[in-house]
Amino acid sequence: MAAHPLSHHEILGLVAPFTRRGLHPDLQATNRQERRLVFKPVERVGETEDAPTYTETLELHCASGPATTHKLKRTTVCSCAPENFEARLEIEGRDLSDMLACFDTVPSASQFRFGPGFKMVKCWRLLRGSGLTPTGMPATQKALTHMAATLGDLTVTATAPTVKADPETVIEILPPEGAHMRLPDDLLAVLGWNWSLIRRRRDTWRGILKTSGREPDRSRRAELNLDRMVEHLVQTFGDAPARFHDRLYRARWGVAFRRSLPLLVSLTLITLAALSSRLELSEDSVLRMLIFNAPPLLMASVFCMRRLPQIEIPPMPRRLKASRWIQLDPEPA
């Protein structure tokens, strides 16, 4: 059954914790039919004169029943960040005062990171912990939901999985509008075993970062890897394409070896199967039992994998011939 629109009486009951903090509803931006209550933006000015200004806007998605869960979202823009570069913070709960107190544990400035050659923003979902911190603030855990970074004209995004059992964070590299890029498929895989090859989808290059475990440790490891990825891309795109091969020569050969593992395992199994026919084994031999049951067990394990292994002869890593990473002229057919 559809929820009824927000009434004036309901709004008065919901805004009390907000007005005590100096936050007032923006009735023009509020959508009563969708039960979405928007508050007027608030500016947070840094302590120093050259510190950026952060503009925060709160949005409350109101539940229709007294015992159901509300969703509170904070959207922050920074004065020194690009347009549409927003940091989002979300939390779900029933006690609005407690939810606002949880937001106080995450300053808007902590969601932005600026460094040489890049600007980064992180979006989190807050998970309410038990008890209070030593400073008297609510104990919270941050789960990463999204990351975006600009590297000059390039944009890099990372979208965390929404399902707990899903270990894959999707990475996308987008060139500026009207341009195209030719990237090596091991651009991110050189960072380690948790990184996949990147594949091109139209004008976007997409890869996968695998992070296992439970929150908040999974998000913490993912953020460390994403920080490292951004620094790696800044250094890579700051050099000529040929320098990528010279600088990461050993890592690229390591990626080629990892890509050849499915083929090597397959050839090893075929060789062992051929040799097993020449062995004189008794009916009660353990080795005979293992050889006999190896094919169905391996087949079952392969189909239990999230992604089927690709059996291929990987190409040899070579120096890139392009003079620059971003091509502004039309891409040849």
Side-chain angles (χ1 to χ4, degrees):
M1 185 175 180
H4 62 274
L6 267 176
S7 65
H8 183 71
H9 178 73
E10 285 181 296
I11 292 177
L12 291 178
L14 291 168
V15 299
F18 297 88
T19 54
R20 286 195 293 266
R21 292 169 171 262
L23 302 169
H24 303 284
D26 187 346
L27 296 181
Q28 292 184 347
T30 295
N31 190 321
R32 296 191 180 188
Q33 191 68 36
E34 298 178 358
R35 301 187 62 83
R36 180 166 53 87
L37 185 58
V38 181
F39 293 84
K40 295 180 179 180
V42 176
E43 288 191 357
R44 310 289 184 188
V45 183
E47 298 179 356
T48 60
E49 293 183 358
D50 56 346
T53 301
Y54 300 94
T55 304
E56 302 173 355
T57 303
L58 291 180
E59 184 176 312
L60 178 65
H61 293 260
C62 311
S64 57
T68 50
T69 302
H70 302 291
K71 182 178 180 180
L72 184 63
K73 181 173 70 173
R74 185 182 76 189
T75 303
T76 307
V77 295
C78 181
S79 58
C80 60
E83 189 177 358
N84 298 326
F85 208 61
E86 299 178 343
R88 296 184 300 275
L89 189 67
E90 299 179 356
I91 190 173
E92 294 184 359
R94 300 178 183 178
D95 189 336
L96 296 178
S97 297
D98 183 73
M99 295 163 68
L100 287 170
C102 291
F103 273 9
D104 292 339
T105 65
V106 184
S108 293
S110 66
Q111 296 186 257
F112 293 86
R113 183 186 172 198
F114 305 108
F118 72 90
K119 296 179 179 180
M120 183 191 301
V121 62
K122 296 178 181 179
C123 303
W124 294 312
R125 182 179 69 256
L126 285 184
L127 308 175
R128 184 67 165 90
S130 58
L132 301 175
T133 63
T135 58
M137 302 295 286
T140 57
Q141 299 173 349
K142 295 182 295 186
L144 181 71
T145 58
H146 188 74
M147 186 280 297
T150 58
L151 290 65
D153 295 331
L154 292 176
T155 301
V156 181
T157 64
T159 304
T162 56
V163 181
K164 293 182 180 179
D166 187 357
E168 297 183 350
T169 299
V170 180
I171 314 295
E172 290 187 333
I173 303 175
L174 298 86
E177 187 176 356
H180 65 271
M181 303 180 69
R182 288 189 174 181
L183 301 178
D185 57 3
D186 58 353
L187 176 67
L188 300 181
V190 295
L191 294 175
W193 286 78
N194 292 331
W195 297 89
S196 73
L197 301 173
I198 60 173
R199 302 298 184 188
R200 183 174 180 178
R201 295 189 177 181
R202 296 185 180 181
D203 293 332
T204 302
W205 291 84
R206 180 173 295 185
I208 297 293
L209 167 64
K210 295 181 180 179
T211 50
S212 58
R214 297 182 177 181
E215 297 292 0
D217 293 333
R218 181 169 73 170
S219 289
R220 192 176 300 115
R221 289 194 298 270
E223 289 186 41
L224 291 175
N225 280 298
L226 293 175
D227 290 344
R228 182 181 169 212
M229 176 198 71
V230 170
E231 294 171 358
H232 162 70
L233 293 179
V234 169
Q235 184 177 7
T236 298
F237 294 140
D239 293 334
R243 282 284 299 152
F244 174 75
H245 180 78
D246 298 338
R247 182 169 56 89
L248 298 168
Y249 179 80
R250 292 184 178 180
R252 298 195 74 193
W253 275 105
V255 174
F257 171 74
R258 279 155 38 198
R259 296 177 65 175
S260 66
L261 285 178
L263 177 61
L264 294 176
V265 171
S266 301
L267 293 177
T268 301
L269 292 175
I270 293 173
T271 303
L272 291 176
L275 293 176
S276 64
S277 62
R278 301 183 179 182
L279 298 177
E280 296 182 1
L281 301 174
S282 64
E283 294 291 339
D284 299 331
S285 172
V286 176
L287 182 59
R288 179 186 177 89
M289 181 189 67
L290 292 176
I291 294 175
F292 181 77
N293 292 286
L297 291 176
L298 288 173
M299 182 174 295
S301 63
V302 166
F303 283 103
C304 288
M305 293 182 178
R306 186 173 184 85
R307 294 180 182 273
L308 295 179
Q310 183 176 356
I311 300 177
E312 61 175 342
I313 300 177
M316 296 177 56
R318 299 181 183 276
R319 182 176 295 180
L320 305 180
K321 297 180 179 180
S323 58
R324 59 181 184 269
W325 292 105
I326 302 177
Q327 304 291 333
L328 298 178
D329 53 312
E331 185 176 12

